């Protein structure tokens, strides 16, 4: 059976070119980057070079780049790091209802430790309003964290606009750019951000490695203590192979992004148009400000989980709600925040396209889904079709 992977928002395969540049660091170049002899120096050089590459791609300076274990650690370090470092200045943090759990749960954890958290609502397309951010800012607000693009519905936020407002008020601004790294132009100056997190495995790099950009002058209390690595902000022997892979994957993605985005947008719109012809279906998220690879649809009278199992039987890998909530019966917090009812949100399906997907994959999916929807609806007591 052919297998079609359409869950690139969850993770992506590592590109062969990326594997190739990583391999030496598992073998002959296994040195610890903190060691003074040749092996150590060469590992250190590799780190320096990767750091320069990532910095340049972000429009940042090399000493503003911290390598982390991924998007979750990046968000934790940004939010907890700023919160602990600036708690004497203020204890108020602002975020939004549609953030990834790495941001939301971190903010809620800080709430248990004496911080105040404002969670901004979103509109029906999943947008955070810059005016709402402005209204929520207080003299004691130390940090605002709003994601660049949403991992479930693909809505791209007006980050530069929000950033300008936050800066004017003297708070710091973090964006979770895990879904946009390699896809959109991520220039930290143009985006008006002070902190930005990304993760290699979302752009065809390895799992377990990411980057947190931290603007010069922003203090951070580290989460991990023990060594002088990453300018004392993240202790632990560096994941040299992973970091080299991240830089290569980021570079490739940025070189190819314009052409690849155009190709994906076409496939995405073909999918959306096809799925919209199914009765009682609804496309979620913005149609204009949307990630080029994201399709998110609700089919009324259907459980997303049954949809996924049926798609899997046909060799199609997709997602319902977010990866973290699938397996539980809670509908997506993102769709609920956008005003969908529990019942409708339960019937959501996310298809996220990637480099290997072709037009014939899209056509196969468009042939299978209506059949599955029809079959599942016939079994639903609520459906009178
Ligand atoms: C995947 C993802 C994360 C978490 O990144 P990991 O590297 O898997 O920890 C955070 N935010 C968003 C928007 C994501 O899509």
């Amino acid at each position: 059976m052919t297998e079609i992977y359409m869950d690139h928002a969850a993770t992506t395969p590592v590109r062969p070119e990326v594997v190739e540049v990583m391999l030496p660091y598992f073998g002959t170049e296994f040195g610890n980057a903190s060691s003074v002899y040749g092996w150590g120096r060469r590992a250190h050089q590799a780190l320096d070079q990767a750091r320069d590459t990532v910095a340049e791609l972000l429009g940042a300076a090399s000493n503003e780049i911290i390598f982390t274990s991924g998007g979750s650690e990046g968000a934790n370090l940004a939010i907890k790091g700023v919160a602990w470092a600036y708690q004497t200045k203020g204890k108020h943090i602002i975020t939004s209802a549609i953030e990834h759990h790495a941001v939301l749960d971190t903010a809620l954890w800080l709430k248990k430790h004496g911080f105040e958290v404002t969670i901004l609502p979103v509109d029906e397309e999943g947008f955070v309003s810059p005016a709402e951010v402005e209204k929520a800012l207080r003299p004691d607000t130390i940090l605002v964290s709003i994601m660049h693009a949403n991992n479930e519905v693909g809505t791209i936020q007006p980050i530069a606009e929000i950033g300008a407002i936050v800066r004017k008020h003297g708070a710091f601004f973090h964006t979770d750019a895990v879904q946009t790294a390699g896809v959109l132009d991520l220039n930290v100056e143009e985006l008006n951000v002070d902190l930005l997190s990304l993760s290699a495995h979302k752009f065809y790099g390895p799992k377990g490695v990411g980057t947190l950009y931290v603007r010069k002058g922003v203090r951070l209390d580290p989460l991990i203590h023990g060594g002088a690595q990453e300018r004392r902000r993240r202790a632990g022997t560096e994941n040299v192979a992973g970091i080299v892979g991240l830089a290569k994957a980021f570079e490739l993605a940025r070189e190819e992004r314009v052409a690849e985005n155009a190709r994906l947008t076409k496939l995405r719109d073909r999918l959306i148009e096809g799925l919209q012809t199914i009765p009682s279906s609804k496309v979620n998220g913005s149609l204009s400000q949307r990630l080029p690879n994201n399709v998110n649809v609700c089919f009324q009278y259907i459980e997303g989980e049954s949809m996924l199992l049926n798609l899997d039987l046909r060799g199609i890998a997709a997602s319902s709600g977010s990866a973290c909530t699938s397996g539980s019966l809670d509908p997506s917090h993102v769709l609920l925040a956008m005003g969908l009812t529990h019942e409708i949100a339960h019937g959501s399906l996310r298809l996220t396209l990637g480099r290997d997907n072709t037009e014939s994959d899209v056509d196969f999916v468009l042939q299978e889904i209506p059949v599955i929807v029809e079959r599942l609806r016939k079994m639903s007591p609520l459906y009178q079709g």
Side-chain angles (χ1 to χ4, degrees):
M1 184 176 67
T2 53
E3 282 199 299
I4 296 176
Y5 184 80
M6 284 199 188
D7 200 16
H8 293 82
T11 195
T12 56
V14 184
R15 291 175 67 153
E17 306 95 307
V18 171
V19 173
E20 197 185 327
V21 298
M22 291 174 70
L23 281 176
Y25 299 95
F26 293 112
T28 51
E29 298 302 333
F30 61 87
N32 184 322
S34 301
S35 305
V36 295
Y37 41 74
W39 279 282
R41 283 198 307 273
R42 291 192 296 275
H44 202 273
Q45 267 165 18
L47 282 185
D48 283 347
Q49 206 183 335
R51 202 182 303 278
D52 291 347
T53 300
V54 172
E56 195 184 323
L57 290 170
L58 293 175
S62 297
N63 60 12
E64 295 174 313
I65 301 300
I66 299 177
F67 290 117
T68 65
S69 66
S72 300
E73 188 191 327
N76 272 261
L77 179 55
I79 298 167
K80 291 178 197 164
V82 165
W84 292 129
Y86 290 91
Q87 56 181 317
T88 52
K89 182 177 175 248
K91 289 202 156 192
H92 182 231
I93 292 167
I94 299 170
T95 187
S96 83
I98 52 145
E99 300 297 310
H100 189 275
H101 283 291
V103 167
L104 266 182
D105 292 2
T106 301
L108 294 176
W109 182 83
L110 282 169
K111 201 170 164 181
K112 287 198 303 196
H113 292 270
F115 289 84
E116 271 186 81
V117 179
T118 298
I119 297 178
L120 295 174
V122 294
D123 68 13
E124 65 279 3
E125 293 188 333
F127 286 111
V128 175
S129 145
E132 295 267 355
V133 174
E134 182 143 40
K135 263 197 287 177
L137 280 157
R138 314 191 314 211
D140 62 338
T141 307
I142 49 175
L143 179 72
V144 177
S145 185
I146 306 289
M147 71 198 316
H148 196 183
N150 183 267
N151 48 301
E152 293 186 38
V153 296
T155 302
I156 301 167
Q157 303 296 335
I159 288 303
E161 198 184 332
I162 294 172
I165 292 168
V166 175
R167 181 160 301 159
K168 200 177 71 198
H169 283 256
F172 293 128
F173 185 37
H174 167 249
T175 192
D176 169 353
V178 172
Q179 288 294 330
T180 52
V183 177
L184 302 183
D185 184 33
L186 289 193
N187 182 294
V188 293
E189 296 307 326
E190 283 165 19
L191 288 174
N192 297 320
V193 296
D194 302 299
L195 304 110
L196 177 149
S197 43
L198 54 83
S199 177
H201 79 98
K202 302 291 176 82
F203 51 82
Y204 305 90
K207 291 171 183 59
V209 60
T211 295
L212 177 65
Y213 156 79
V214 185
R215 185 175 293 278
K216 187 171 184 286
V218 177
R219 284 181 290 121
L220 276 190
D221 265 16
L223 300 181
I224 303 174
H225 301 90
Q229 293 93 350
E230 300 300 305
R231 299 166 62 85
R232 298 203 166 273
R233 304 207 227 192
R234 205 261 184 187
T237 302
E238 299 89 343
N239 173 6
V240 180
I243 291 166
V244 166
L246 177 149
K248 180 70 179 179
F250 199 19
E251 209 171 16
L252 288 170
R254 289 292 293 270
E255 274 166 23
E256 298 169 8
R257 75 176 185 93
V258 174
E260 182 61 0
N261 286 353
R263 194 186 74 87
L264 290 174
T265 301
K266 262 207 203 137
L267 296 182
R268 175 197 74 186
D269 292 345
R270 189 183 177 93
L271 256 180
I272 289 179
E273 270 163 42
L275 294 175
Q276 271 176 331
T277 64
I278 298 175
S280 304
S281 63
K282 177 189 181 310
V283 178
N284 301 305
S286 165
L287 287 177
S288 60
Q289 297 297 104
R290 187 185 196 94
L291 287 173
N293 75 335
N294 176 288
V295 177
N296 189 307
V297 198
C298 282
F299 301 109
Q300 231 181 312
Y301 316 111
I302 285 178
E303 290 287 337
E305 295 296 310
S306 347
M307 183 81 202
L308 291 191
L309 294 176
N310 278 271
L311 285 171
D312 182 43
L313 287 173
R314 302 295 291 151
I316 301 165
S319 164
S320 166
S322 63
C324 316
T325 50
S326 56
S328 81
L329 283 173
D330 293 335
S332 146
H333 68 286
V334 174
L335 296 178
L336 294 182
M338 288 164 62
L340 270 67
T341 63
H342 277 244
E343 189 209 333
I344 307 243
H346 266 306
S348 79
L349 173 71
R350 180 187 72 181
L351 299 160
T352 43
L353 298 154
R355 288 172 50 78
D356 293 332
N357 292 136
T358 61
E359 205 169 281
S360 72
D361 290 348
V362 167
D363 290 342
F364 180 70
V365 168
L366 283 177
Q367 167 198 310
E368 295 298 314
I369 289 179
V371 180
I372 296 171
V373 168
E374 185 61 24
R375 191 165 62 234
L376 290 175
R377 280 183 175 165
K378 284 211 174 107
M379 289 156 51
S380 163
L382 299 168
Y383 182 62
Q384 277 131 30

